[in-house]
Amino acid sequence: IQMPLVFKQSRINLNISLRSIKSGIPQRAFDIMGSGGFLLSNYQADFLYDFIPGKDFDYYESKEDLLAKIDYYLSHEDERQAIAGNGHDKIAAAHTYRHRVREMLDRFQ
């Protein structure tokens, strides 16, 4: 119950995947966006199948890029909140547990 509140109230939520993880979207990313939090993640190509960088979330490609984007989003409150809202809406529309269970059932019928 507390983590969604932390994600929503944090100005920036970081997702930093291990270097060994080359594919997939971590549950943490879904949790952050589903809570209405702003997500800044390391680059993972799989995000691009369902989410639009700069619209639903954003990603960084280096330490310098991470620091620059943190500075940028901390000083662009409206844009950061809009991105968080878009991410939340996209999760609610297509990426809930109900959506995943329906998808699994449809594949096995």
Side-chain angles (χ1 to χ4, degrees):
I1 295 176
Q2 291 181 1
M3 283 311 294
L5 187 59
V6 170
F7 291 148
K8 183 162 182 57
Q9 291 182 344
S10 297
R11 292 171 70 193
I12 295 176
N13 294 277
L14 296 178
N15 175 64
I16 303 173
S17 299
L18 297 172
R19 288 185 183 160
S20 61
I21 298 174
K22 301 294 183 195
S23 65
I25 300 174
Q27 181 64 45
R28 173 181 177 78
F30 286 103
D31 291 344
I32 291 167
M33 290 188 286
S35 298
F38 174 80
L39 173 64
L40 183 57
S41 180
N42 60 291
Y43 177 80
Q44 293 281 127
D46 289 353
F47 274 100
L48 305 181
Y49 294 122
D50 294 298
F51 303 101
I52 300 169
K55 181 176 179 187
D56 304 317
F57 81 108
D58 210 347
Y59 68 87
Y60 63 90
E61 297 185 272
S62 67
K63 185 170 91 171
E64 294 77 19
D65 189 31
L66 170 63
L67 296 173
K69 285 187 175 175
I70 288 171
D71 284 342
Y72 177 83
Y73 285 115
L74 287 177
S75 64
H76 291 82
E77 183 80 18
D78 291 342
E79 184 176 357
R80 188 179 75 247
Q81 288 181 348
I83 291 169
N86 291 337
H88 174 267
D89 293 349
K90 191 164 277 186
I91 293 291
H95 299 285
T96 65
Y97 286 114
R98 182 172 295 225
H99 290 105
R100 294 292 84 79
V101 169
R102 174 59 49 210
E103 193 175 293
M104 288 186 286
L105 292 173
D106 288 348
R107 289 182 188 214
F108 292 108
Q109 290 181 347

